[in-house]
């Protein structure tokens, strides 16, 4: 667990392919907080929102209680990985392909979450001393809806 590898807090999954709404994979829940299953947190929010809200809360707590100390946060959003599920509020009905519509909606949630985290850092007075790196862990899945052009032709 990350909590056993130098992190003070952890909220996330240990496997892969968790449902974005229930944080279930197969018959079990794969959502952990710190060193225990996150019972009661799973199923309360879409995963992207769950992780960004937790990040904002940790930033606010750090600014209030640990302002003199540095902070490291690693925030790997589960979106846009399978299963391909999105919040209705991000779905654009003008996109005719439902798959592309879902993928774009998932990216929109990540964009909103990233914006919420950067705003929290600014609001907490931490932005000027922050090194903010944003990276994708892989390209779009070519077998489905991804577009990696011009990197892959």
């Amino acid at each position: 667990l990350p909590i056993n590898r130098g992190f003070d807090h952890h909220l996330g999954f240990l496997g892969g392919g968790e449902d974005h709404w229930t944080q279930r994979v197969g018959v079990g829940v794969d959502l952990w907080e710190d060193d225990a299953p996150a019972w009661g947190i799973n199923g309360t929010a879409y995963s992207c929102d769950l992780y960004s809200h937790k990040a904002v809360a940790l930033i606010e707590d750090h600014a209030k209680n640990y302002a003199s100390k540095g902070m490291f946060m690693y925030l790997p959003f589960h979106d846009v990985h399978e299963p391909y599920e999105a919040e209705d509020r991000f779905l654009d009905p003008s996109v005719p392909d439902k798959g592309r519509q879902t993928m774009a909606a998932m990216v929109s949630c990540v964009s909103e979450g990233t914006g919420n985290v950067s705003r929290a850092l600014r609001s907490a007075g931490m932005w000027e001393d922050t090194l903010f790196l944003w990276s994708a862990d892989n390209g779009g899945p070519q077998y489905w809806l991804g577009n990696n052009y011009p990197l892959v032709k």
Side-chain angles (χ1 to χ4, degrees):
L1 292 169
I3 197 83
N4 297 326
R5 290 179 164 78
F7 287 86
D8 294 327
H9 301 287
H10 167 252
L11 178 65
F13 53 89
L14 302 179
E18 292 77 11
D19 182 273
H20 291 284
W21 295 102
T22 64
Q23 292 76 45
R24 289 184 169 279
V25 60
V27 295
V29 173
D30 186 9
L31 184 67
W32 292 73
E33 185 168 30
D34 297 333
D35 61 352
W39 301 117
I41 296 174
N42 74 291
T44 62
Y46 182 71
S47 63
C48 182
D49 294 329
L50 193 70
Y51 300 133
S52 62
H53 292 158
K54 181 65 171 185
V56 167
L58 287 171
I59 290 165
E60 291 170 350
D61 180 66
H62 185 84
K64 181 179 176 184
N65 297 308
Y66 308 99
S68 63
K69 294 176 65 178
M71 177 181 186
F72 173 83
M73 179 179 290
Y74 175 64
L75 177 58
F77 285 105
H78 179 209
D79 289 43
V80 292
H81 291 276
E82 288 187 275
Y84 298 109
E85 304 166 328
E87 294 182 85
D88 288 343
R89 67 189 178 105
F90 290 114
L91 294 172
D92 182 353
S94 71
V95 177
D97 182 280
K98 295 295 185 192
R100 290 293 284 170
Q101 189 182 90
T102 300
M103 182 66 76
M106 294 172 81
V107 171
S108 292
C109 191
V110 170
S111 179
E112 179 183 86
T114 302
N116 291 342
V117 168
S118 64
R119 268 189 297 286
L121 288 165
R122 286 182 181 91
S123 180
M126 298 168 65
W127 184 254
E128 294 300 319
D129 295 322
T130 294
L131 174 62
F132 191 101
L133 301 175
W134 197 100
S135 175
D137 66 343
N138 53 26
Q142 294 178 350
Y143 56 86
W144 194 55
L145 300 172
N147 183 343
N148 298 305
Y149 181 82
L151 301 176
V152 177
K153 294 183 180 180

